[in-house]
Amino acid sequence: MNAIETIDPRAFRDALGNFATGVTVITTHCEKVGKVGMTANSFNSVSLNPPMVLWSLARHSKALEFFRSAGKFCVNVLAADQVSLSDHFASKKTDKFADVKWRNGALGLPVLEGTAATFECETAFEYEGGDHMIFVGTVHKFTDSQRKALLYHGGKYAVSNLHPVNALAGQPSAPQSTGFVEEYLDYLLAKAADNFERGFQKHLDKRGVAKYEWRILVTINDFQEITGEQLAEIVLLEGDQLRQTLAQMHERGLVERPPENADRYRLARRGEDEVTHLLAAAKAHEMDTMGSYTAEESMVLKSLLKRLV
């Protein structure tokens, strides 16, 4: 029998990256630490009857003892717009459930909201697989939202698109609207902007910051110091409404006027803190919103919008 070829672990991992997988967050609840959650893509089906699935966890992981002692787990298959949720549970934050929407499932496990699918399982078997521990679970309950799933391929996030081979000849096309409004650029831009802003509003509400206050804060942050006229052009707020908003923000310690240049505005200490918190949320929100588009599509969209502006 020939000796097994010496394999470079890094090259082996890169080769495995050619196999596209879904992205999941595995959650559980154990008596020692309470709720536990971590991002993983080592998920697969095992059996339809009985319904069983598996996933694996590195044996050096600190979470291993928690999943073993709990004896149950929930597989949350992330949707394409949940990139930030994947990054969140892959981080080393202490309480990963503090700012996340979840509910108690049938087995008393945290089940995440807005996912593509969930599988609530009782651990049936544990196997040692090299440097990983393999958990096989019996599914007690599952959900299927029909949402497009988030993928991971080649070390990067990805989304699925229908392969041309599936475009069957003679397949009836979806009905198309013949109305003017639904094809009108003004409507499309306004509707897209409204959807995007409403998605981010929940982050602003947590910080007690209004929509135009956020626009002012992030604009001043970009320019360091800026005049009221320049602000009006960028944040799309003019006259008395702009002056009133700036006055309220000044009273709350969000903005200030430099003594040496009173016709300009800059961020006060509290304003700097708000921008620090909200910029990360804004970037995550944009990633989630554009989660179903390729990088090239996102660049084209932004380029077209800049040309329109």
Side-chain angles (χ1 to χ4, degrees), residues 13-21 152-155:
R13 185 180 66 180
D14 292 344
L16 290 174
N18 289 302
F19 180 65
T21 68
Y152 200 68
H153 177 255

Side-chain angles (χ1 to χ4, degrees), residues 27 55 58 66 102 136 142 210 272 298 306:
T27 58
W55 71 288
F66 306 142
W102 61 276
V136 179
F142 71 92
E272 292 175 349
S298 298
K306 287 178 181 179

Side-chain angles (χ1 to χ4, degrees), residues 229-267:
E229 291 181 359
Q230 292 170 323
L231 269 175
E233 183 178 349
I234 297 173
V235 304
L236 307 179
L237 193 64
E238 298 180 349
D240 292 339
Q241 192 173 2
L242 176 60
R243 286 189 289 271
Q244 182 179 359
T245 302
L246 285 168
Q248 292 172 347
M249 294 176 70
H250 184 270
E251 291 178 2
R252 292 165 55 200
L254 295 172
V255 300
E256 62 185 16
R257 291 189 172 188
E260 69 280 3
N261 204 346
D263 65 334
R264 304 176 75 85
Y265 293 88
R266 68 185 182 191
L267 294 181

Side-chain angles (χ1 to χ4, degrees), residues 69-122:
S69 65
K72 51 189 176 180
F73 58 86
C74 178
V75 180
N76 300 269
V77 181
L78 299 188
D81 62 353
Q82 293 182 312
V83 172
S84 61
L85 198 60
S86 172
D87 291 339
H88 177 78
F89 277 95
S91 70
K92 296 182 179 180
K93 293 183 179 180
T94 304
D95 186 359
K96 298 181 181 180
F97 293 86
D99 298 319
V100 172
K101 291 184 178 180
W102 61 276
R103 58 180 172 79
N104 273 316
L107 299 179
L109 304 175
V111 179
L112 303 183
E113 299 286 354
T115 57
T118 61
F119 301 89
E120 300 172 60
C121 310
E122 185 175 0

Side-chain angles (χ1 to χ4, degrees), residues 145-202:
S145 69
Q146 298 294 314
R147 300 188 67 196
K148 180 176 285 191
L150 180 64
L151 301 184
Y152 200 68
H153 177 255
K156 297 180 176 66
Y157 291 115
V159 293
S160 62
N161 289 312
L162 193 65
H163 195 282
V165 74
N166 293 300
L168 302 176
Q171 187 175 22
S173 58
Q176 300 295 318
S177 170
T178 57
F180 171 77
V181 172
E182 292 186 1
E183 298 297 326
Y184 186 39
L185 183 60
D186 178 65
Y187 165 78
L188 293 173
L189 290 172
K191 187 65 175 177
D194 181 65
N195 288 342
F196 184 82
E197 289 176 352
R198 282 192 288 110
F200 187 61
Q201 190 61 47
K202 61 182 180 181

